[in-house]
Amino acid sequence: MADMDFRAIGATTYLCPTPTVLVGCAADGDWQQAGDTAPNLITIAWAGVCSSKPPMVGIAIRPERHSHALVTRSGEFTVNLIGEPLLQAMDFCGVKSGRDVNKFQTLGLHPVLAKGLTIAPALAEAPAYLSCKVRQTVSLGSHDLFLGEIMEVCVRDEFFREDGSIDEQAMALVAYVHGKYRALGRELGFFGYSVASDEALKRRMPAAPKARTARQGAKPASKKRG
């Protein structure tokens, strides 16, 4: 009876929201080259964390895409986080091919040497980027999954608070929701907040009293695991 409130829409990739990022790639370290060997940016909405030890992410790219050949050839890529100021540029990089246009030049963006890599460029205008080396490629069907080990993460100075923590909300990050870009809203909680002490909640979420009162009707957490 419970499933009567749901409507089946078929087996489709309806996982949302997902991160939407710009992946930087190049055929080799000579970024002055023109044409289809120039450094490139590709918009990826199918990206995610795969492992913490070692830290790894996966990105899915169609084999026929220009960037697929670049990542395969170099064995490197960068994952550049995207804030609202870069939204239009990110969309452009998803509908235009690097075979036809130099996206960095056309958009007035700038490739920079990614820390920990020798070939793939990072995006200078991004709020943060992850430097990745390909450890495995898995053919899944329409897309190939590149599993990349994260060699380094770099965050722009302006997004660090005085205490050294990172202010992701100031980055104005965007998400992908079934063909649409969405802004991220206010912070609602943090990992473990449902069982955190009132002192911890006041320290970590001083401006969110609702997060502290939302648990009033909840039962105490069990000490048992599993």
Side-chain angles (χ1 to χ4, degrees):
M1 294 295 293
D3 64 353
M4 296 300 291
D5 292 332
F6 291 87
R7 182 181 302 182
I9 62 173
T12 184
T13 55
Y14 193 68
L15 174 65
C16 53
T18 59
T20 180
V21 298
L22 277 173
V23 167
C25 49
D28 52 48
D30 184 5
W31 295 349
Q32 302 305 314
Q33 298 185 69
D36 60 6
T37 57
N40 192 47
L41 293 168
I42 179 175
T43 303
I44 297 289
W46 293 356
V49 175
C50 302
S51 172
S52 57
K53 292 183 180 180
M56 298 184 70
V57 295
I59 59 170
I61 307 178
R62 289 182 179 271
E64 61 268 24
R65 295 296 295 269
H66 174 57
S67 296
H68 185 285
L70 300 183
V71 174
T72 299
R73 178 172 171 177
S74 69
E76 297 181 358
F77 62 88
T78 62
V79 175
N80 301 271
L81 304 190
I82 298 302
E84 292 180 33
L86 286 169
L87 181 59
Q88 187 169 347
M90 182 189 67
D91 184 69
F92 180 91
C93 290
V95 296
K96 293 293 184 179
S97 172
R99 295 189 182 97
D100 305 321
V101 60
N102 185 314
K103 300 177 189 178
F104 279 104
Q105 291 182 0
T106 301
L107 295 169
L109 300 177
H110 303 88
V112 295
L113 184 63
K115 192 169 184 179
L117 304 181
T118 58
I119 297 175
L123 175 60
E125 289 78 9
Y129 70 84
L130 292 70
S131 300
C132 306
K133 288 190 176 182
V134 178
R135 296 308 186 207
Q136 187 177 355
T137 304
V138 183
S139 181
L140 301 174
S142 63
H143 290 66
D144 284 351
L145 179 66
F146 291 96
L147 297 173
E149 181 176 355
I150 301 170
M151 311 308 295
E152 186 59 86
V153 177
C154 294
V155 181
R156 292 182 65 90
D157 287 337
E158 64 192 272
F159 296 111
F160 283 93
R161 300 186 181 93
E162 291 185 1
D163 62 2
S165 62
I166 301 173
D167 187 357
E168 287 90 359
Q169 188 164 354
M171 295 181 184
L173 299 174
V174 297
Y176 189 71
V177 183
H178 198 52
K180 300 172 286 292
Y181 306 117
R182 297 285 188 182
L184 298 184
R186 62 186 176 85
E187 179 182 346
L188 300 176
F190 56 87
F191 180 74
Y193 91 98
S194 62
V195 295
S197 66
D198 287 341
E199 180 183 352
L201 289 171
K202 291 177 181 178
R203 182 178 69 254
R204 298 189 59 177
M205 300 184 65
K210 291 183 179 180
R212 297 194 292 272
T213 59
R215 308 176 307 164
Q216 290 181 352
K219 296 180 180 179
S222 172
K223 293 183 179 180
K224 296 182 179 180
R225 295 187 178 183

